[in-house]
Amino acid sequence: MTGFDLSVAEQVLDAQPFSRLLKARITAFGDGAAVLELDIRDELLQQNGFVHGGVLSYAADNALTFAAGAAIGAAVLTAGYSIQYVRPARGTTLTARAEVVHAGRRQAVVRCDLVMTGGDDAGDETLCAVAQGTVLSTAKD
């Protein structure tokens, strides 16, 4: 989409107070895909030392929406999504990689893999959750 590139996506992310609180960053954007990253700190953990499920869910939701925005336009909102936690999230960096599976004029179906790095296996990625959602265009025709 013309005029909506990584620098604009970074501005949109920075305009979200909750994303600033989590210190999220968007590291890739375009062609129906987006990558969101978070450095993990103690405040983002639950009582067993794993990344809180709400943090994973936030990352999935935002990555899904940014990927859809790269395909169907900037004026989008998440209509719904599901997330499946496949293993406890441990590590120093959470990466949410989202890609549009199907896009129409008014909506996109998007898949997201959430991986952790910097854990026990240092540089290896560990898949900890997968999400899929539908994102709707709010643009007026």
Side-chain angles (χ1 to χ4, degrees), residues 25-29 33-37 63 95-98:
R25 59 191 176 277
I26 189 161
T27 59
F29 175 84
V35 177
L36 188 76
E37 294 182 351
T95 302
R97 288 190 192 101

PDB file of all heavy atoms in Angstrom, residues 25-29 33-37 63 95-98:
ATOM      1  N   ARG A  25       8.466  -3.135  19.615  1.00  0.00           N
ATOM      2  CA  ARG A  25       8.991  -2.527  18.396  1.00  0.00           C
ATOM      3  C   ARG A  25       8.564  -3.363  17.194  1.00  0.00           C
ATOM      4  O   ARG A  25       8.461  -4.586  17.284  1.00  0.00           O
ATOM      5  CB  ARG A  25      10.501  -2.364  18.461  1.00  0.00           C
ATOM      6  CG  ARG A  25      11.256  -3.647  18.652  1.00  0.00           C
ATOM      7  CD  ARG A  25      12.732  -3.380  18.990  1.00  0.00           C
ATOM      8  NE  ARG A  25      13.421  -4.627  19.253  1.00  0.00           N
ATOM      9  CZ  ARG A  25      13.420  -5.260  20.423  1.00  0.00           C
ATOM     10  NH1 ARG A  25      12.781  -4.752  21.453  1.00  0.00           N
ATOM     11  NH2 ARG A  25      14.061  -6.397  20.577  1.00  0.00           N
ATOM     12  N   ILE A  26       8.313  -2.696  16.091  1.00  0.00           N
ATOM     13  CA  ILE A  26       7.983  -3.392  14.855  1.00  0.00           C
ATOM     14  C   ILE A  26       9.265  -3.408  14.020  1.00  0.00           C
ATOM     15  O   ILE A  26       9.893  -2.367  13.820  1.00  0.00           O
ATOM     16  CB  ILE A  26       6.778  -2.753  14.136  1.00  0.00           C
ATOM     17  CG1 ILE A  26       6.315  -3.624  12.988  1.00  0.00           C
ATOM     18  CG2 ILE A  26       7.038  -1.326  13.716  1.00  0.00           C
ATOM     19  CD1 ILE A  26       4.909  -3.347  12.519  1.00  0.00           C
ATOM     20  N   THR A  27       9.692  -4.591  13.618  1.00  0.00           N
ATOM     21  CA  THR A  27      10.987  -4.721  12.948  1.00  0.00           C
ATOM     22  C   THR A  27      10.864  -5.070  11.475  1.00  0.00           C
ATOM     23  O   THR A  27      11.855  -4.996  10.749  1.00  0.00           O
ATOM     24  CB  THR A  27      11.866  -5.758  13.658  1.00  0.00           C
ATOM     25  OG1 THR A  27      11.181  -7.014  13.662  1.00  0.00           O
ATOM     26  CG2 THR A  27      12.159  -5.326  15.096  1.00  0.00           C
ATOM     27  N   ALA A  28       9.674  -5.462  11.036  1.00  0.00           N
ATOM     28  CA  ALA A  28       9.443  -5.734   9.616  1.00  0.00           C
ATOM     29  C   ALA A  28       7.976  -5.458   9.335  1.00  0.00           C
ATOM     30  O   ALA A  28       7.107  -5.719  10.168  1.00  0.00           O
ATOM     31  CB  ALA A  28       9.794  -7.173   9.259  1.00  0.00           C
ATOM     32  N   PHE A  29       7.721  -4.918   8.132  1.00  0.00           N
ATOM     33  CA  PHE A  29       6.355  -4.568   7.768  1.00  0.00           C
ATOM     34  C   PHE A  29       6.251  -4.455   6.256  1.00  0.00           C
ATOM     35  O   PHE A  29       7.078  -3.806   5.624  1.00  0.00           O
ATOM     36  CB  PHE A  29       5.964  -3.228   8.411  1.00  0.00           C
ATOM     37  CG  PHE A  29       4.617  -2.732   7.988  1.00  0.00           C
ATOM     38  CD1 PHE A  29       3.473  -3.185   8.621  1.00  0.00           C
ATOM     39  CD2 PHE A  29       4.493  -1.841   6.941  1.00  0.00           C
ATOM     40  CE1 PHE A  29       2.226  -2.752   8.221  1.00  0.00           C
ATOM     41  CE2 PHE A  29       3.260  -1.395   6.529  1.00  0.00           C
ATOM     42  CZ  PHE A  29       2.122  -1.855   7.167  1.00  0.00           C
ATOM     43  N   ALA A  33       2.694  -8.833   5.732  1.00  0.00           N
ATOM     44  CA  ALA A  33       3.411  -9.459   6.852  1.00  0.00           C
ATOM     45  C   ALA A  33       3.911  -8.383   7.808  1.00  0.00           C
ATOM     46  O   ALA A  33       4.089  -7.228   7.429  1.00  0.00           O
ATOM     47  CB  ALA A  33       4.581 -10.299   6.345  1.00  0.00           C
ATOM     48  N   ALA A  34       4.122  -8.802   9.047  1.00  0.00           N
ATOM     49  CA  ALA A  34       4.677  -7.895  10.053  1.00  0.00           C
ATOM     50  C   ALA A  34       5.390  -8.714  11.126  1.00  0.00           C
ATOM     51  O   ALA A  34       5.003  -9.852  11.402  1.00  0.00           O
ATOM     52  CB  ALA A  34       3.577  -7.051  10.688  1.00  0.00           C
ATOM     53  N   VAL A  35       6.412  -8.116  11.713  1.00  0.00           N
ATOM     54  CA  VAL A  35       7.144  -8.734  12.813  1.00  0.00           C
ATOM     55  C   VAL A  35       7.195  -7.727  13.960  1.00  0.00           C
ATOM     56  O   VAL A  35       7.619  -6.582  13.773  1.00  0.00           O
ATOM     57  CB  VAL A  35       8.574  -9.149  12.406  1.00  0.00           C
ATOM     58  CG1 VAL A  35       9.328  -9.724  13.600  1.00  0.00           C
ATOM     59  CG2 VAL A  35       8.541 -10.135  11.247  1.00  0.00           C
ATOM     60  N   LEU A  36       6.750  -8.179  15.122  1.00  0.00           N
ATOM     61  CA  LEU A  36       6.749  -7.367  16.343  1.00  0.00           C
ATOM     62  C   LEU A  36       7.668  -8.047  17.346  1.00  0.00           C
ATOM     63  O   LEU A  36       7.639  -9.278  17.469  1.00  0.00           O
ATOM     64  CB  LEU A  36       5.324  -7.297  16.898  1.00  0.00           C
ATOM     65  CG  LEU A  36       5.059  -6.352  18.049  1.00  0.00           C
ATOM     66  CD1 LEU A  36       4.995  -4.913  17.520  1.00  0.00           C
ATOM     67  CD2 LEU A  36       3.737  -6.690  18.707  1.00  0.00           C
ATOM     68  N   GLU A  37       8.486  -7.267  18.055  1.00  0.00           N
ATOM     69  CA  GLU A  37       9.410  -7.826  19.043  1.00  0.00           C
ATOM     70  C   GLU A  37       9.278  -7.114  20.380  1.00  0.00           C
ATOM     71  O   GLU A  37       8.967  -5.932  20.430  1.00  0.00           O
ATOM     72  CB  GLU A  37      10.854  -7.712  18.562  1.00  0.00           C
ATOM     73  CG  GLU A  37      11.156  -8.557  17.347  1.00  0.00           C
ATOM     74  CD  GLU A  37      12.608  -8.469  16.915  1.00  0.00           C
ATOM     75  OE1 GLU A  37      13.359  -7.621  17.456  1.00  0.00           O
ATOM     76  OE2 GLU A  37      12.996  -9.234  16.025  1.00  0.00           O
ATOM     77  N   ALA A  63       0.530  -7.937  16.007  1.00  0.00           N
ATOM     78  CA  ALA A  63       1.192  -8.420  14.792  1.00  0.00           C
ATOM     79  C   ALA A  63       0.159  -8.797  13.730  1.00  0.00           C
ATOM     80  O   ALA A  63       0.333  -8.487  12.545  1.00  0.00           O
ATOM     81  CB  ALA A  63       2.099  -9.607  15.119  1.00  0.00           C
ATOM     82  N   THR A  95       9.255 -12.744  19.742  1.00  0.00           N
ATOM     83  CA  THR A  95       9.040 -12.304  18.364  1.00  0.00           C
ATOM     84  C   THR A  95       7.713 -12.851  17.883  1.00  0.00           C
ATOM     85  O   THR A  95       7.460 -14.053  17.987  1.00  0.00           O
ATOM     86  CB  THR A  95      10.174 -12.791  17.438  1.00  0.00           C
ATOM     87  OG1 THR A  95      11.429 -12.301  17.937  1.00  0.00           O
ATOM     88  CG2 THR A  95       9.975 -12.306  16.011  1.00  0.00           C
ATOM     89  N   ALA A  96       6.868 -11.955  17.376  1.00  0.00           N
ATOM     90  CA  ALA A  96       5.574 -12.339  16.799  1.00  0.00           C
ATOM     91  C   ALA A  96       5.656 -12.083  15.300  1.00  0.00           C
ATOM     92  O   ALA A  96       5.798 -10.937  14.868  1.00  0.00           O
ATOM     93  CB  ALA A  96       4.451 -11.527  17.427  1.00  0.00           C
ATOM     94  N   ARG A  97       5.581 -13.160  14.515  1.00  0.00           N
ATOM     95  CA  ARG A  97       5.651 -13.065  13.051  1.00  0.00           C
ATOM     96  C   ARG A  97       4.284 -13.375  12.465  1.00  0.00           C
ATOM     97  O   ARG A  97       3.818 -14.514  12.580  1.00  0.00           O
ATOM     98  CB  ARG A  97       6.659 -14.059  12.501  1.00  0.00           C
ATOM     99  CG  ARG A  97       8.071 -13.712  12.770  1.00  0.00           C
ATOM    100  CD  ARG A  97       9.029 -14.619  11.991  1.00  0.00           C
ATOM    101  NE  ARG A  97      10.359 -14.429  12.515  1.00  0.00           N
ATOM    102  CZ  ARG A  97      10.966 -15.250  13.353  1.00  0.00           C
ATOM    103  NH1 ARG A  97      10.388 -16.363  13.733  1.00  0.00           N
ATOM    104  NH2 ARG A  97      12.169 -14.983  13.793  1.00  0.00           N
ATOM    105  N   ALA A  98       3.683 -12.386  11.847  1.00  0.00           N
ATOM    106  CA  ALA A  98       2.338 -12.550  11.304  1.00  0.00           C
ATOM    107  C   ALA A  98       2.364 -12.421   9.784  1.00  0.00           C
ATOM    108  O   ALA A  98       3.130 -11.628   9.229  1.00  0.00           O
ATOM    109  CB  ALA A  98       1.397 -11.514  11.893  1.00  0.00           C
TER     110      ALA A  98
END
